[in-house]
């Protein structure tokens, strides 16, 4: 089974929530819950989402095709991205489709610090030459990543600027923290969303976090003589505090 499923995004979270609400639900019963119109057959769409969730180890299906959640807590968008990071680290096999799916964002955007790729199909196959990736699967990857908040589909390409809602959710989950902004990226954000390569922080994550500072989700400031990288258009920020007032 592969993460490269022809999914659209919203159905993934909805199906997971249904399975969590009805542990042990039969596949046929689950499909019936979503088959709102008598005409057509949504089985392939449902199966694609189920395979995707099974690959992430959020659900399992037994021999009788009953589906069980592997945890009952709320799964937020960044939890999907965090799990993809774990899968990439567990595999590290350039011929494994799940490794490719999980590391495309890091390899194609973070490593070269490139915000926008117009022909992701070409770049993905150029980078991961051990396994051919169809245009349809690349398009599905873009849809799913957009749904999780990792970027936007723009003019046929992908713009890897994370949505503020995603970053706000991550920051709120981190909780109270204060320290150098560089260490915030390296120690707090990177374990959830890979964003650091050779000590350089991906611009997409930087821009998103700096924008959060404008909305008072976190407090940014400048400390003198701090031996860490400063960020911003004028390199005006090098310290971050979540919770409370900036010292």
């Amino acid at each position: 089974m592969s993460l490269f499923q022809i999914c659209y995004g919203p159905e993934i979270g909805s199906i997971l929530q249904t399975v969590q609400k009805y542990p042990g639900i039969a596949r046929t019963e689950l499909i019936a819950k979503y088959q709102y119109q008598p005409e057509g057959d949504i089985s392939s769409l449902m199966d694609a989402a189920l395979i995707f969730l099974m690959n992430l180890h959020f659900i399992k299906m037994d021999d009788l095709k009953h589906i069980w959640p592997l945890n009952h807590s709320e799964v937020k968008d960044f939890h999907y991205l965090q799990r993809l990071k774990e899968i990439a680290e567990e595999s590290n096999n350039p011929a494994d489709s799940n490794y490719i799916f999980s590391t495309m964002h890091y390899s194609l955007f973070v490593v070269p610090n490139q915000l926008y790729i117009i022909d992701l199909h070409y770049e993905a196959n150029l980078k991961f030459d051990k396994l051919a990736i169809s245009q349809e699967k690349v398009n599905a990857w873009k849809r799913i990543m957009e749904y999780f908040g990792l970027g936007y589909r723009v003019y046929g390409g992908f713009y890897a600027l994370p949505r503020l809602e995603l970053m706000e959710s991550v920051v709120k989950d981190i909780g109270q923290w204060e320290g150098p902004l560089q260490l915030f990226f390296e120690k707090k954000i990177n374990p959830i969303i890979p964003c650091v390569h050779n000590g350089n922080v991906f611009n997409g994550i930087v821009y998103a976090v700096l924008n959060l500072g404008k909305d008072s989700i976190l407090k940014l400031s400048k400390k003198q003589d701090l031996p860490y990288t400063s960020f911003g258009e004028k390199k005006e920020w090098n310290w971050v505090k979540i919770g409370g007032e900036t010292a």
Side-chain angles (χ1 to χ4, degrees), residues 120-134:
L120 193 58
H121 175 247
Y122 172 79
E123 295 295 339
N125 281 279
L126 186 66
K127 174 64 179 179
F128 303 104
D129 57 358
K130 303 295 183 182
L131 186 69
I133 312 166
S134 70

Side-chain angles (χ1 to χ4, degrees), residues 3 52-58 79-93 96-103:
L3 284 165
F52 185 84
L53 288 167
M54 283 189 282
N55 271 276
L56 291 177
H57 304 298
F58 284 149
H79 289 137
Y80 292 95
L81 301 175
Q82 191 170 25
R83 182 61 189 131
L84 290 176
K85 181 180 186 295
E86 294 169 355
I87 289 174
E89 292 172 346
E90 290 166 2
S91 174
N92 197 28
N93 178 2
D96 176 12
S97 63
N98 283 352
Y99 171 79
I100 295 172
F101 186 99
S102 302
T103 196

Side-chain angles (χ1 to χ4, degrees), residues 17-88:
Q17 290 174 9
T18 301
V19 172
Q20 288 178 321
K21 185 176 181 180
Y22 303 102
I25 187 172
R27 171 185 171 275
T28 52
E29 183 182 353
L30 180 66
I31 292 174
K33 282 184 175 294
Y34 286 86
Q35 185 75 52
Y36 297 111
Q37 301 295 333
E39 62 274 7
D41 183 4
I42 65 168
S43 297
S44 61
L45 176 64
M46 297 292 290
D47 285 336
L50 290 172
I51 291 172
F52 185 84
L53 288 167
M54 283 189 282
N55 271 276
L56 291 177
H57 304 298
F58 284 149
I59 64 171
K60 65 178 180 179
M61 184 184 297
D62 62 25
D63 293 339
L64 297 177
K65 295 191 179 300
H66 290 175
I67 307 161
W68 304 86
L70 293 179
N71 66 73
H72 293 271
S73 57
E74 180 185 5
V75 177
K76 299 179 181 179
D77 289 341
F78 71 84
H79 289 137
Y80 292 95
L81 301 175
Q82 191 170 25
R83 182 61 189 131
L84 290 176
K85 181 180 186 295
E86 294 169 355
I87 289 174

Side-chain angles (χ1 to χ4, degrees), residues 109 115-121 135 138-139 141-143 146 151-160:
F109 293 95
L115 268 173
Y116 180 69
I117 296 178
I118 188 168
D119 192 344
L120 193 58
H121 175 247
Q135 180 71 64
V138 170
N139 288 341
W141 182 92
K142 291 191 291 185
R143 288 195 300 268
E146 183 178 55
Y152 304 82
R153 291 175 292 161
V154 179
Y155 302 121
F158 193 79
Y159 182 47

